[in-house]
């Protein structure tokens, strides 16, 4: 029996025996599995009228002491944007379910489709990036001031075993060694971001499945590891080929990107100068993070007894690590 199946029955007992700050007819309570990620398992809890998301946290990608509280505080701060889920309840005690617990708004809608929802996503980013951080309590957020240097540290850590593994071909090892060398040699572009500082709240996981496109409004969900940093962090990841191909199997054209930027700037209520230039400067460092993660994940899949949980993911990882794919991806920048 999977962890999700075990939790399903225990969640009902938890809700029945705790004041969870939501409206539910507990006599008609239904708990259903919704979705599972690497570090969270999501369920819906409903009574036929009201419906919520019950999120169970099983780990942290950002090594914070209290992952579920970090996410709860971020979502509370972001509520004023009206394009993120409302949160109602958090329990980080782990006294009853052994995991951090978060209850939030259930949002109706569909995942983003790049071909038709690009402008809606642009407006969501503009609303979040327009939040006035000077008049908000952001003391509990991680702040990233050296986004290029931080990506180098991530890349080195992720590539540590890959670069010495006997099962990895010489061409790929050479590529990543040269990529790291180039990244180190050009990391002074962090000076540009610090001299032209513009900090906003970034989600850091802006793939198509983390958008909910509703009939009237669209939302960005899954705020597991937000940071305060340059807006190029989220925009670069959202527009990058490694993101649009991953689940959307799509590559944005220059005209689509141009239209995205125009819509974004038209909907901002703060000044973010030279956003296209910021994205251009940061893009190769985003690719360093994405490709290094693929290298790390590929090696993990080769371990004896390791099950491939998602064959589509494994196929995409191998595609991204193809030397021709990587060289074409970076041709413009490197």
């Amino acid at each position: 029996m999977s962890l999700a199946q075990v939790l399903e029955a225990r969640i009902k007992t938890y809700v029945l025996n705790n004041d969870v700050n939501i409206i539910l007819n507990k006599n008609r309570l239904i708990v259903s599995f919704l979705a599972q990620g690497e570090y969270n398992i999501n369920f819906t809890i409903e009574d036929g009228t009201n419906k919520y998301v019950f999120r169970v946290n099983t780990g942290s990608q950002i090594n914070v002491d209290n992952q579920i509280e970090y996410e709860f505080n971020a979502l509370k701060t972001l509520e004023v944007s009206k394009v993120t889920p409302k949160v109602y309840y958090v329990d980080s005690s782990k006294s009853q379910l052994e995991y951090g617990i978060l209850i939030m708004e259930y949002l109706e809608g569909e995942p983003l489709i790049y071909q038709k929802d690009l402008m809606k996503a642009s407006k969501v980013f503009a609303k979040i990036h327009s939040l006035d951080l000077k008049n908000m309590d952001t003391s509990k957020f991680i702040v990233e001031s050296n986004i290029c240097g931080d990506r180098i540290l991530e890349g080195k850590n992720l590539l540590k075993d890959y670069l010495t593994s006997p099962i990895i071909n010489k061409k790929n090892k050479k590529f990543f060694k040269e990529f790291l060398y180039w990244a180190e040699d050009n990391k002074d572009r962090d000076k540009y971001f610090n001299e032209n500082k513009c900090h906003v709240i970034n989600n850091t996981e802006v793939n198509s499945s983390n958008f909910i496109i509703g009939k009237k409004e669209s939302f960005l969900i899954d705020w597991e590891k937000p940071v305060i940093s340059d807006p190029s962090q989220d925009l670069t990841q959202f527009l990058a080929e490694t993101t649009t191909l991953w689940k959307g199997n799509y590559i944005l054209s220059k005209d689509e990107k141009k239209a995205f930027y125009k819509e974004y700037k038209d909907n901002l209520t703060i000044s973010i100068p030279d956003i296209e230039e910021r994205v251009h400067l940061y893009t190769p460092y985003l690719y360093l993070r994405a490709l290094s993660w693929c290298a790390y994940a590929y090696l993990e899949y080769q371990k004896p007894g390791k099950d491939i949980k998602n064959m589509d993911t494994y196929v995409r990882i191998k595609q991204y690590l193809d030397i021709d794919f990587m060289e074409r991806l970076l041709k413009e920048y490197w």
Side-chain angles (χ1 to χ4, degrees), residues 9-108:
R10 296 183 65 195
I11 287 169
K12 186 170 184 178
T13 301
Y14 181 93
V15 174
L16 290 173
N17 289 286
N18 289 275
D19 182 8
V20 292
N21 198 35
I22 53 176
I23 300 169
L24 276 175
N25 181 345
K26 293 186 177 182
N27 294 319
R28 300 178 60 193
L29 185 64
I30 300 168
V31 179
S32 305
F33 173 77
L34 179 62
Q36 181 169 352
E38 291 292 326
Y39 301 91
N40 293 280
I41 308 174
N42 298 306
F43 300 83
T44 57
I45 50 176
E46 58 182 313
D47 62 3
T49 303
N50 302 295
K51 190 173 185 178
Y52 305 91
V53 174
F54 191 105
R55 186 166 172 85
V56 178
N57 172 245
T58 59
S60 176
Q61 296 186 65
I62 51 176
N63 298 314
V64 294
D65 293 333
N66 196 328
Q67 172 63 47
I68 204 68
E69 290 274 1
Y70 186 81
E71 186 170 352
F72 177 84
N73 290 329
L75 284 166
K76 268 296 178 190
T77 302
L78 286 158
E79 278 185 8
V80 293
S81 72
K82 298 183 179 179
V83 290
T84 59
K86 294 178 182 177
V87 281
Y88 304 108
Y89 178 82
V90 64
D91 180 359
S92 59
S93 68
K94 303 181 182 180
S95 60
Q96 296 179 58
L97 284 179
E98 302 95 49
Y99 302 102
I101 295 163
L102 185 69
I103 298 178
M104 69 182 94
E105 181 181 16
Y106 177 84
L107 297 166
E108 297 281 356

Side-chain angles (χ1 to χ4, degrees), residues 260-286:
F260 174 90
Y261 284 127
K262 183 180 185 307
E263 190 73 12
Y264 173 74
K265 288 185 281 190
D266 285 348
N267 284 277
L268 284 173
T269 58
I270 65 168
S271 174
I272 299 182
D274 306 315
I275 188 60
E276 293 95 336
E277 178 65 14
R278 291 173 184 270
V279 169
H280 183 79
L281 286 171
Y282 180 62
T283 293
Y285 289 87
L286 182 278

Side-chain angles (χ1 to χ4, degrees), residues 38-278:
E38 291 292 326
Y39 301 91
N40 293 280
I41 308 174
N42 298 306
F43 300 83
T44 57
I45 50 176
E46 58 182 313
D47 62 3
T49 303
N50 302 295
K51 190 173 185 178
Y52 305 91
V53 174
F54 191 105
R55 186 166 172 85
V56 178
N57 172 245
T58 59
S60 176
Q61 296 186 65
I62 51 176
N63 298 314
V64 294
D65 293 333
N66 196 328
Q67 172 63 47
I68 204 68
E69 290 274 1
Y70 186 81
E71 186 170 352
F72 177 84
N73 290 329
L75 284 166
K76 268 296 178 190
T77 302
L78 286 158
E79 278 185 8
V80 293
S81 72
K82 298 183 179 179
V83 290
T84 59
K86 294 178 182 177
V87 281
Y88 304 108
Y89 178 82
V90 64
D91 180 359
S92 59
S93 68
K94 303 181 182 180
S95 60
Q96 296 179 58
L97 284 179
E98 302 95 49
Y99 302 102
I101 295 163
L102 185 69
I103 298 178
M104 69 182 94
E105 181 181 16
Y106 177 84
L107 297 166
E108 297 281 356
E110 302 294 332
L112 176 142
I113 297 173
Y114 291 101
Q115 296 93 314
K116 68 184 185 71
D117 299 322
L118 196 60
M119 298 304 103
K120 294 175 182 177
S122 186
K123 290 178 182 177
V124 170
F125 280 121
K127 286 183 179 180
I128 293 168
H129 291 177
S130 290
L131 294 177
D132 183 4
L133 303 191
K134 293 186 181 72
N135 294 312
M136 301 168 69
D137 179 8
T138 59
S139 60
K140 295 177 181 176
F141 281 88
I142 293 170
V143 178
E144 285 193 352
S145 297
N146 298 300
I147 56 177
C148 300
D150 287 339
R151 299 297 81 78
I152 294 170
L153 292 174
E154 284 180 346
K156 287 180 175 177
N157 185 52
L158 289 166
L159 290 165
K160 182 175 55 178
D161 294 330
Y162 186 88
L163 292 175
T164 58
S165 172
I167 68 170
I168 303 302
N169 67 67
K170 291 181 180 179
K171 279 187 177 181
N172 278 52
K173 288 181 180 179
K174 182 175 182 288
F175 171 87
F176 277 109
K177 285 176 182 176
E178 290 180 351
F179 193 4
L180 282 172
Y181 178 81
W182 178 91
E184 283 278 9
D185 203 40
N186 288 272
K187 69 178 181 182
D188 61 348
R189 61 184 63 192
D190 269 333
K191 186 178 179 182
Y192 168 86
F193 291 110
N194 285 313
E195 290 179 350
N196 301 275
K197 184 177 175 180
C198 179
H199 275 186
V200 303
I201 298 175
N202 286 264
N203 173 281
T204 75
E205 293 188 298
V206 288
N207 58 66
S208 57
S209 63
N210 283 349
F211 282 85
I212 299 291
I213 307 299
K215 291 180 180 178
K216 294 183 178 179
E217 188 59 87
S218 300
F219 305 89
L220 181 55
I221 63 170
D222 200 351
W223 287 86
E224 171 179 347
K225 53 174 193 171
V227 300
I228 291 178
S229 186
D230 195 88
S232 61
Q233 221 190 125
D234 266 358
L235 296 194
T236 303
Q237 181 166 344
F238 179 75
L239 298 170
E241 189 172 325
T242 47
T243 304
T244 62
L245 275 175
W246 189 262
K247 291 183 178 178
N249 200 31
Y250 192 70
I251 299 175
L252 294 167
S253 69
K254 288 183 179 180
D255 285 343
E256 284 173 313
K257 290 181 181 180
K258 185 177 179 181
F260 174 90
Y261 284 127
K262 183 180 185 307
E263 190 73 12
Y264 173 74
K265 288 185 281 190
D266 285 348
N267 284 277
L268 284 173
T269 58
I270 65 168
S271 174
I272 299 182
D274 306 315
I275 188 60
E276 293 95 336
E277 178 65 14
R278 291 173 184 270

